[in-house]
């Protein structure tokens, strides 16, 4: 027999949607990746042609799970954009879409910007979906870890104040 403990953890995951922010100045790229996400997954894709508009969205939304950006864009390049995303929300995994010619810059950016991964154009749909899934899993694990750390810190704080009360009672 199996003993199952339902602590409600599984339920909250289903409610919060996985939101992928996608930034590319090419309409066709936005359409094809968004279609792929919506047909093959239950994630929500929020596309942007403008890196600045995408930054405003990232700054104002708490529910973002993943950010994907093209490398070559007119307003700012993808590395600069993802660096700004990192400053605002270091917990969100960041993925760079890059043409073959920009591969060297993409590899440098992995270290500079703390990229989760880079994807070469033209991409393979199944690879793309797997990278998204891995990035989203990483983000969920990091969130759970942070929740546990917060719980431990709170418990430690409670214990510390209890300890002070006991010491006061006996002094």
């Amino acid at each position: 027999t199996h003993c199952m403990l339902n602590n409600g953890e599984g339920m909250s995951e289903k409610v919060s949607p996985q939101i992928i922010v996608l930034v590319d100045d090419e309409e066709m790229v936005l359409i094809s990746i968004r279609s792929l996400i919506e047909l093959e997954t239950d994630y929500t894709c929020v596309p942007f042609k403008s890196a600045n508009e995408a930054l405003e969205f990232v700054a104002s939304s708490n529910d973002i799970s993943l950010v994907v950006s093209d490398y070559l864009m007119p307003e700012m390049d993808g590395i600069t954009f993802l660096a700004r995303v990192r400053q605002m929300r270091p917990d969100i995994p960041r993925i760079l879409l890059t043409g073959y010619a920009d591969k060297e810059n993409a590899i440098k950016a992995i270290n500079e910007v703390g990229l989760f991964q880079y994807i070469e154009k033209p991409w393979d749909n199944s690879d793309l979906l797997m990278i998204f899934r891995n990035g989203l899993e990483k983000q969920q694990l990091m969130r759970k870890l942070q929740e546990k750390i917060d719980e431990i810190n709170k418990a430690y704080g409670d214990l510390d104040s209890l300890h002070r009360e006991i010491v006061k009672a006996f002094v």
Side-chain angles (χ1 to χ4, degrees):
T1 58
H2 294 286
C3 175
M4 283 185 58
L5 177 67
N6 184 2
N7 54 7
E9 272 186 6
M11 292 174 192
S12 63
E13 287 174 9
K14 292 283 177 279
V15 175
S16 63
Q18 301 276 352
I19 296 175
I20 298 175
V21 171
L22 176 63
V23 188
D24 199 307
D25 59 311
E26 291 179 56
E27 190 76 40
M28 278 312 298
V29 172
L30 292 177
I31 291 168
S32 61
I33 295 180
R34 184 184 189 178
S35 301
L36 176 70
I37 289 170
E38 290 179 354
L39 287 170
E40 299 290 333
T41 72
D42 53 2
Y43 314 144
T44 301
C45 179
V46 184
F48 290 93
K49 279 183 88 168
S50 156
N52 287 319
E53 284 176 24
L55 282 175
E56 284 174 29
F57 181 76
V58 170
S60 67
S61 175
N62 278 334
D63 297 329
I64 299 163
S65 305
L66 196 67
V67 175
V68 183
S69 172
D70 187 28
Y71 175 62
L72 283 178
M73 298 185 290
E75 283 180 346
M76 72 178 78
D77 68 67
I79 294 171
T80 306
F81 168 74
L82 292 172
R84 294 199 185 160
V85 170
R86 182 190 197 180
Q87 286 169 351
M88 286 190 276
R89 297 287 306 279
D91 59 308
I92 300 175
R94 296 163 301 281
I95 294 172
L96 186 70
L97 278 174
T98 173
Y100 182 75
D102 310 312
K103 190 175 180 174
E104 213 173 295
N105 289 320
I107 292 167
K108 262 192 258 175
I110 289 175
N111 298 324
E112 281 175 33
V113 192
L115 277 190
F116 173 68
Q117 192 121 21
Y118 76 92
I119 297 166
E120 270 183 45
K121 291 177 177 179
W123 61 85
D124 174 84
N125 281 349
S126 55
D127 287 351
L128 194 65
L129 290 173
M130 187 179 69
I131 290 166
F132 290 171
R133 207 166 25 249
N134 290 346
L136 292 166
E137 272 177 26
K138 178 193 178 197
Q139 204 248 1
Q140 281 187 323
L141 289 171
M142 294 303 283
R143 274 199 181 155
K144 280 183 184 167
L145 180 63
Q146 190 56 55
E147 283 169 18
K148 293 293 177 201
I149 290 168
D150 293 346
E151 281 175 31
I152 290 166
N153 286 340
K154 185 189 177 310
Y156 179 78
D158 293 348
L159 201 59
D160 193 43
S161 58
L162 182 65
H163 178 254
R164 286 171 208 236
E165 294 298 317
I166 292 169
V167 169
K168 265 193 238 164
F170 287 100
V171 172

